[in-house]
Amino acid sequence: MVLIGAHVRGTEPLVEAERVGAQAVQLFLADPQGWKKPVRRPDADDLIASGLGIYAHAPYLVNVASTNNRIRIPSRTMVAQHAAAAADLGARGLVVHGGHVGDGDDVATGIDNWRKTFERATFPVRVLVENTAGGENACARTLDRWSMLWDAIGGYDVGVCLDTCHAWAAGEDLETIVERLTAITGRIDLVHANSSRDPQGSSRDRHAGFADGTIPPDLIAHVVREAGCDAVVETPAQTQADDVARLREALGA
């Protein structure tokens, strides 16, 4: 069964899940802006027993594509640590941004760094690589880059997270994005169902609630329907309940 959930903030994800009517939750397992190793949550057993679908999101600093050793090597460590913590919660996947290389660096080097990440380690939950909104040096922004990336890592146990806001910001056609992306990867494991504060092609990653954003809500629902997988709303906290309800109604879930 496809689950419709939300990225929950704060220290009480179960309370937040109930408040917004989520069937699944996505959460950070440590400071999203830090490098600290996650520790076991005091509510871990309650989360496991809740029956909710659980997804973890790696910190924003993680960039395994980087050509900078001081970023790439700690990033690989962080992916391993967060994957272990996610597995402890029975998570369905660990979302990791596609990352980027530095100005003047060859994107192919960043994609090869992704390959080495999976070549050198296996993870207890599936890593779900997420498309990103902007940057000419990004490894997972355009479908051309996705094709290069998947040629390098598609043979490993790796999945795909499609963010509607990011794809919109990258200038992608959301009517056909699922068909075109699955033609490359053969799979989409999770949708981040978000609207955007900005126009299509803006390269800006600013999420909005369905009623306030520039992406037609029916188009977001279309993406989730076509993908046929779990979806997590990452919209502002004050709109999440309405967004989850609207998405579930559109999908008949």
Side-chain angles (χ1 to χ4, degrees), residues 36 44 74 85 169:
K36 287 187 177 180

Side-chain angles (χ1 to χ4, degrees), residues 94-159:
L94 171 68
V95 178
V96 181
H97 285 172
H100 58 275
V101 297
D103 291 341
D105 292 333
D106 188 346
V107 170
T109 302
I111 287 172
D112 196 51
N113 285 337
W114 263 111
R115 180 190 62 78
K116 291 175 182 177
T117 298
F118 293 110
E119 180 184 65
R120 297 175 181 181
T122 56
F123 304 104
V125 297
R126 182 170 287 129
V127 171
L128 309 180
V129 181
E130 180 180 355
N131 62 310
T132 51
E136 294 300 319
N137 300 323
C139 296
R141 178 175 180 259
T142 65
L143 292 192
D144 285 346
R145 293 283 170 79
W146 266 103
S147 184
M148 293 172 59
L149 179 61
W150 210 252
D151 282 346
I153 67 174
Y156 298 97
D157 185 22
V158 58

Side-chain angles (χ1 to χ4, degrees), residues 117 198 200:
T117 298
D198 302 292
Q200 188 176 20

Side-chain angles (χ1 to χ4, degrees), residues 7-228:
H7 181 90
V8 290
R9 302 161 177 85
T11 59
E12 298 183 293
L14 294 177
V15 172
E16 281 298 292
E18 183 175 4
R19 180 183 71 81
V20 304
Q23 301 164 313
V25 293
Q26 177 182 274
L27 65 167
F28 291 110
L29 303 180
D31 179 0
Q33 300 290 354
W35 293 100
K36 287 187 177 180
K37 179 180 179 180
V39 297
R40 196 169 199 266
R41 298 177 57 94
D43 60 356
D45 291 337
D46 292 335
L47 276 166
I48 294 166
S50 70
L52 294 169
I54 297 173
Y55 292 89
H57 197 302
Y60 297 125
L61 298 179
V62 168
N63 182 9
V64 300
S66 177
T67 55
N68 185 333
N69 290 346
R70 291 177 292 180
I71 296 174
R72 184 182 66 258
I73 294 172
S75 292
R76 288 178 180 165
T77 299
M78 289 283 278
V79 171
Q81 291 172 344
H82 282 256
D88 181 59
L89 294 176
R92 299 183 174 202
L94 171 68
V95 178
V96 181
H97 285 172
H100 58 275
V101 297
D103 291 341
D105 292 333
D106 188 346
V107 170
T109 302
I111 287 172
D112 196 51
N113 285 337
W114 263 111
R115 180 190 62 78
K116 291 175 182 177
T117 298
F118 293 110
E119 180 184 65
R120 297 175 181 181
T122 56
F123 304 104
V125 297
R126 182 170 287 129
V127 171
L128 309 180
V129 181
E130 180 180 355
N131 62 310
T132 51
E136 294 300 319
N137 300 323
C139 296
R141 178 175 180 259
T142 65
L143 292 192
D144 285 346
R145 293 283 170 79
W146 266 103
S147 184
M148 293 172 59
L149 179 61
W150 210 252
D151 282 346
I153 67 174
Y156 298 97
D157 185 22
V158 58
V160 176
C161 174
L162 171 62
D163 188 302
T164 55
C165 173
H166 296 176
W168 177 262
E172 294 290 350
D173 176 10
L174 295 188
E175 285 281 357
T176 61
I177 186 67
V178 170
E179 179 183 1
R180 291 181 294 119
L181 182 55
T182 54
I184 295 168
T185 64
R187 65 188 303 149
I188 296 174
D189 300 84
L190 180 67
V191 173
H192 282 171
N194 305 311
S195 194
S196 173
R197 292 166 58 186
D198 302 292
Q200 188 176 20
S202 67
S203 296
R204 303 184 74 178
D205 179 10
R206 301 199 303 172
H207 296 185
F210 290 9
D212 305 319
T214 58
I215 306 176
D218 288 348
L219 189 53
I220 299 172
H222 167 77
V223 171
V224 177
R225 187 181 299 110
E226 290 290 300

